[in-house]
Amino acid sequence: MKNSNSILGNVSQKKVILAGTIGNAVEWFDWTIYATFAVFFSKQFFPSDDPTASLLSTFAIFAVGFFMRPLGGVVLGIFSDRYGRKAALAATILMMAGGSLMIAVSPTYATIGVFAPIILVLARLLQGLSLGGEFASAATYLSEMAPKEKRGFYSSFMFFSAAIGILLASSLAWLLTSILTDQQMGAYGWRIPFLIGALGGLVGIWIRRSVPDSEMTHAKEKVKNPLLVLFKHYPKETLRIIGISILTTFAFYIFVIYVPSYAINFLGAEPKVAFAANTIALVAFMLSQPLFGWLSDKIGRKPQLIFFAVGYLLFFYPMIKWMDSSFSSILLVEMFGLLLYALYTSIGPAVMSEQFPTEVRAVGIGAPYNLVVAILGGTTPYVLTWSQSIGKQDYFYFMVIVGAILTLITFIKMPETVGKRLEDI
């Protein structure tokens, strides 16, 4: 069997990293632009005298796509384990780009009536399936193609590229709203980002086709029922992925999505102040990924993971309660949350890949991880907003602390896997 080092002898390391992550950037760009531009296209699909009602209907479809992620993690995870990482990566980016193209060219409610929101639902179902399979397939590909002494560094480019996709979506929103009026954005401007996302998918497919597949999937005997094998023979590892995903899911949706809205709506911060702080922190988060990935290859996975969980356990509550409407306060809280979170995200794909053997690796990551993300990530913004409206947000903050305890216990009990060959797992 060829190992990762022999494969890399025929293709540059940069190209492998690019192939493993370019689709991830496209996926997160496409996934993010829906929520970013929903305020402009909601009335095109759900006409109503109440703009809020139209927007809520649009976000309901966003949630539907979100809860397709576990199914995507299972179906595309099994596909990846059976037919190879390269085939799965091509499928995920094609599905995501296809969903964006469907939205970009869809007629409006005024043209085709109820079929317009049906097209929107189908597009988001497709994109939810795609995102559910992308993480597991890209994580396993990067980990299996990486030399064992650089696996942490390689895996760091997963969230590096995700941050690029999110930042590109935000930047495009700023650009389009700067050069187009609200009327123009509602008429046709909202279609532009979806067209760009569809074209980006074609570029991603072209790049991914130019690199070799991981040989590990072709060297292992295929299992007939991967989910049964997973739950029967690897229950501890599956529960470990769930334990890892609890705090990490909270961290993403609180500090990437929630904090700016909280600062604006409840602390009285100016939108430009809150979003400027969020953008700067996201850039720092993105740039820290390769550094922390490289560091884990030197000192091990567990020290970083434990430091991340302990930091949230001890300081999350006082930091979030201390924040006020000033730029410096919001930026400091965002930097706290995102840089600690980066200690995990930089090596998360490697850590998860190191829990399972090749024949169930993608489904072993995709099924439990996406289930937790759907349950916690899909409800966090709503629960937080509701709890704040009745003055009980502290209850949710304590949930995060409990999540930090559970994830910390998982990290402490987890074996150190740095330097271990994936072929030996």
Side-chain angles (χ1 to χ4, degrees), residues 360-397:
V360 294
R361 182 168 291 133
V363 71
I365 297 172
Y369 167 76
N370 283 292
L371 180 63
V372 174
V373 169
I375 294 173
L376 298 183
T379 58
T380 289
Y382 179 87
V383 172
L384 262 172
T385 302
W386 172 79
S387 63
Q388 283 176 343
S389 70
I390 60 173
K392 301 294 184 182
Q393 62 267 28
D394 281 7
Y395 290 168
F396 182 85
Y397 297 154

Side-chain angles (χ1 to χ4, degrees), residues 44-113:
Q44 302 289 341
F45 291 89
F46 298 96
S48 171
D49 294 333
D50 183 0
T52 301
S54 297
L55 188 58
L56 286 174
S57 297
T58 307
F59 279 131
I61 293 179
F62 178 80
V64 168
F66 214 105
F67 284 93
M68 289 299 290
R69 288 183 60 171
L71 181 59
V74 172
V75 173
L76 290 169
I78 293 174
F79 181 84
S80 177
D81 288 330
R82 285 185 175 175
Y83 300 104
R85 314 306 183 203
K86 187 175 176 179
L89 288 172
T92 58
I93 197 169
L94 185 62
M95 292 164 66
M96 182 62 79
S100 287
L101 183 61
M102 287 172 65
I103 297 173
V105 301
S106 173
T108 64
Y109 188 93
T111 304
I112 60 172

Side-chain angles (χ1 to χ4, degrees), residues 52-365:
T52 301
S54 297
L55 188 58
L56 286 174
S57 297
T58 307
F59 279 131
I61 293 179
F62 178 80
V64 168
F66 214 105
F67 284 93
M68 289 299 290
R69 288 183 60 171
L71 181 59
V74 172
V75 173
L76 290 169
I78 293 174
F79 181 84
S80 177
D81 288 330
R82 285 185 175 175
Y83 300 104
R85 314 306 183 203
K86 187 175 176 179
L89 288 172
T92 58
I93 197 169
L94 185 62
M95 292 164 66
M96 182 62 79
S100 287
L101 183 61
M102 287 172 65
I103 297 173
V105 301
S106 173
T108 64
Y109 188 93
T111 304
I112 60 172
V114 70
F115 290 103
I118 290 176
I119 292 173
L120 194 62
V121 169
L122 292 175
R124 289 305 286 181
L125 290 177
L126 192 63
Q127 291 186 322
L129 284 169
S130 171
L131 196 63
E134 169 71 18
F135 180 86
S137 297
T140 51
Y141 179 78
L142 285 171
S143 297
E144 290 173 356
M145 293 295 287
K148 63 183 178 64
E149 69 276 5
K150 293 183 179 180
R151 196 178 303 133
F153 176 73
Y154 270 56
S155 76
S156 70
F157 287 91
M158 274 285 294
F159 279 87
F160 180 89
S161 59
I164 289 177
I166 295 170
L167 286 170
L168 285 175
S170 299
S171 299
L172 184 60
W174 172 79
L175 177 63
L176 289 177
T177 54
S178 297
I179 61 179
L180 299 177
T181 65
D182 287 348
Q183 185 178 6
Q184 290 172 324
M185 286 297 301
Y188 64 87
W190 62 268
R191 296 183 185 273
I192 296 173
F194 291 104
L195 285 171
I196 292 174
L199 292 174
L202 295 178
V203 175
I205 291 173
W206 175 71
I207 292 175
R208 284 180 166 179
R209 284 176 58 87
S210 66
V211 294
D213 199 358
S214 165
E215 292 292 331
M216 291 185 190
T217 52
H218 302 296
K220 292 282 187 175
E221 182 181 352
K222 306 300 185 293
V223 295
K224 292 183 178 179
N225 193 329
L227 276 180
L228 181 63
V229 171
L230 183 69
F231 296 137
K232 183 177 180 179
H233 297 289
Y234 304 100
K236 183 185 296 184
E237 291 80 2
T238 302
L239 288 173
R240 188 175 294 146
I241 299 298
I242 292 174
I244 290 172
S245 302
I246 295 173
L247 177 60
T248 57
T249 299
F250 279 140
F252 178 87
Y253 286 96
I254 288 173
F255 288 98
V256 175
I257 306 297
Y258 167 73
V259 166
S261 298
Y262 171 67
I264 295 167
N265 296 326
F266 292 92
L267 298 179
E270 294 184 24
K272 64 181 181 181
V273 169
F275 287 121
N278 181 250
T279 300
I280 293 171
L282 277 172
V283 171
F285 168 78
M286 177 183 70
L287 296 178
S288 68
Q289 299 297 310
L291 173 63
F292 290 152
W294 170 84
L295 182 64
S296 79
D297 289 326
K298 305 299 180 183
I299 68 172
R301 317 285 189 229
K302 291 184 66 172
Q304 283 190 203
L305 297 174
I306 291 172
F307 190 86
F308 153 66
V310 169
Y312 269 72
L313 178 61
L314 297 180
F315 300 111
F316 167 73
Y317 184 76
M319 288 293 288
I320 204 77
K321 297 293 286 186
W322 168 80
M323 185 173 66
D324 58 34
S325 61
S326 67
F327 172 79
S328 58
S329 172
I330 300 170
L331 178 61
L332 184 60
V333 171
E334 287 273 41
M335 293 290 280
F336 156 79
L338 288 176
L339 288 181
L340 273 181
Y341 180 48
L343 290 171
Y344 157 76
T345 57
S346 58
I347 58 175
V351 170
M352 291 187 180
S353 295
E354 291 163 349
Q355 306 306 314
F356 300 101
T358 303
E359 59 268 24
V360 294
R361 182 168 291 133
V363 71
I365 297 172

